[in-house]
Amino acid sequence: MELTRRSALLALTSTAVLGLSACATSSTSTTSSASTSGSTSASAAQNFPVTVKHIYGETVIDAAPTKIATVSWVNADTVLALGVVPVGMAKDVWGQNANNSTDWKDAKLKELGAEIGSDKAPVQYDEADGINFEEIAKLQPDLIVAAYSGLTQEEYTKLSKIAKVVGPVAAAYTAPWQDSTLAIGQALGKEAEAKELIATVEKQLTDAGDANPVLQDTTYIAGNLEPATGGINIYTAGDNRSRFLASLGMTEAPIVEKNKQGDSFYYSWSAERANELVADVFFTWLPEGATVDDIKKDKLLGQIPAAATGGLVAESSQALTLAVSASSPLSLPWALDQIVPNIVKGAEAAKAA
């Protein structure tokens, strides 16, 4: 359990996602209409049975689910993005708003007529101590969605005694949002809608990059700087933040891949070698209250080349960090207009230096 919570924290504050391929398959084709009810639509109901593959095996779903519970982040986002309101979802406890939710999730709940506080709103349960089996069981769901999660085999087995479970499509919060979206779409009988949703969001990302040509030949390092401790973590191409920057047309600096350690989505870097982290843009999350000036003033962290050129792009908003590090088809469109201008500003400064 401790490892799971640590992975979750890394997935938010420092990481992102290493991804393996999505692995769900559908036994039949799907229709394109979206449901706005608390269950999957009548048209989607025609697409069952479906078999969804994940790291713990295969889950056969015989009929359209009518009561869906989700765990972890992203999964509720994706269920909502496909037009279905879950009966239960985890509270957001990092980057959250006053509803223990997120602004992008709340906007979709409102669109679907299920605002938090209303009769149709999902039940929110606390996952501070791990998967909340008791509260999920009370809801008597017929499907539990954990496609993006750090769900362990033991937790998967225990949840499977409550309802059918779509397990993680990649281990420990490393599933790309496209893969979890496809798996969830298939589980809901909405594979076609999921593919369309993926294409739409990917185009938004591509368009944002095309609108800012300076990004096209800009190198980047995605990382996490801790000015209080001098800590540096570097995120690999499998990290969600790195994926986000690459989706804008940017190029990962060669030093990241050169020093990659196995399949890990991140690795630690000695602050004494900060001057070796050569890239046009160094993209990092900072603890709230910390600033770029704190990095520049630090004897070691200030040696990161991008700190001297203006290419150090630091984000201290937990909500924006969550939106990118736990990417979903709802969070990415919400974050784009807020986060891209800072990246462009950093790229332009680095080019001009």
Side-chain angles (χ1 to χ4, degrees):
M1 184 71 73
E2 182 60 32
L3 180 60
T4 299
R5 288 202 295 271
R6 183 172 185 276
S7 297
L9 183 61
L10 283 169
L12 291 179
T13 61
S14 350
T15 357
V17 200
L18 178 70
L20 303 178
S21 302
C23 343
T25 58
S26 173
S27 60
T28 60
S29 62
T30 60
T31 59
S32 59
S33 62
S35 166
T36 56
S37 70
S39 63
T40 54
S41 66
S43 58
Q46 301 172 8
N47 300 318
F48 291 86
V50 296
T51 300
V52 183
K53 295 181 179 179
H54 47 79
I55 64 173
Y56 299 130
E58 297 182 348
T59 297
V60 178
I61 303 170
D62 297 318
T66 60
K67 297 179 70 177
I68 301 162
T70 67
V71 302
S72 187
W73 309 281
V74 173
N75 300 299
D77 285 17
T78 305
V79 171
L80 288 166
L82 290 169
V84 177
V85 179
V87 295
M89 62 183 188
K91 292 179 180 178
D92 287 290
V93 295
W94 199 92
Q96 78 276 28
N97 59 23
N99 290 327
N100 288 320
S101 177
T102 57
D103 290 351
W104 55 90
K105 199 179 303 178
D106 283 359
K108 192 64 180 181
L109 284 167
K110 182 177 181 180
E111 178 185 322
L112 297 177
E115 291 179 83
I116 290 177
S118 70
D119 292 341
K120 295 182 178 179
V123 172
Q124 293 175 281
Y125 30 79
D126 193 342
E127 288 189 340
D129 294 323
I131 302 298
N132 199 324
F133 299 99
E134 183 176 353
E135 293 302 316
I136 292 173
K138 287 179 182 176
L139 297 173
Q140 299 184 316
D142 54 9
L143 181 67
I144 300 170
V145 175
Y148 174 87
S149 71
L151 202 69
T152 65
Q153 174 72 70
E154 181 182 4
E155 291 168 334
Y156 171 80
T157 301
K158 191 171 181 179
L159 279 177
S160 297
K161 295 178 180 177
I162 299 173
K164 295 288 183 70
V165 181
V166 176
V169 296
Y173 302 96
T174 60
W177 66 267
Q178 294 96 329
D179 290 359
S180 56
T181 297
L182 183 58
I184 293 170
Q186 290 167 332
L188 302 184
K190 291 174 171 281
E191 181 176 351
E193 290 95 327
K195 290 180 177 177
E196 183 177 355
L197 180 62
I198 292 167
T200 297
V201 177
E202 286 182 335
K203 185 176 187 306
Q204 289 177 307
L205 294 167
T206 300
D207 288 349
D210 291 345
N212 297 284
V214 68
L215 299 179
Q216 304 308 310
D217 60 350
T218 295
T219 59
Y220 72 85
I221 294 174
N224 184 51
L225 301 178
E226 293 283 352
T229 62
I232 301 176
N233 288 314
I234 303 298
Y235 304 104
T236 70
D239 177 270
N240 268 347
R241 290 178 201 172
S242 181
R243 289 183 179 129
F244 174 73
L245 297 173
S247 71
L248 299 175
M250 300 172 71
T251 302
E252 185 184 75
I255 193 171
V256 177
E257 180 67 20
K258 183 179 179 181
N259 290 277
K260 182 180 175 183
Q261 300 163 7
D263 293 330
S264 176
F265 55 76
Y266 82 102
Y267 53 85
S268 297
W269 187 269
S270 171
E272 282 74 16
R273 297 176 59 199
N275 64 315
E276 298 177 31
L277 296 173
V278 177
D280 294 321
V281 167
F282 192 104
F283 181 77
T284 180
W285 173 79
L286 289 178
E288 287 195 41
T291 67
V292 169
D293 284 342
D294 293 330
I295 301 298
K296 291 180 178 178
K297 293 175 183 176
D298 187 277
K299 182 179 178 181
L300 296 177
L301 299 183
Q303 294 183 33
I304 294 174
T309 64
L312 179 60
V313 179
E315 182 53 64
S316 60
S317 164
Q318 289 188 0
L320 276 175
T321 301
L322 175 67
V324 174
S325 61
S327 304
S328 80
L330 290 184
S331 71
L332 288 172
W334 178 87
L336 261 183
D337 290 343
Q338 301 178 71
I339 206 165
V340 169
N342 287 336
I343 298 170
V344 170
K345 184 179 178 180
E348 290 175 340
K351 297 293 184 182

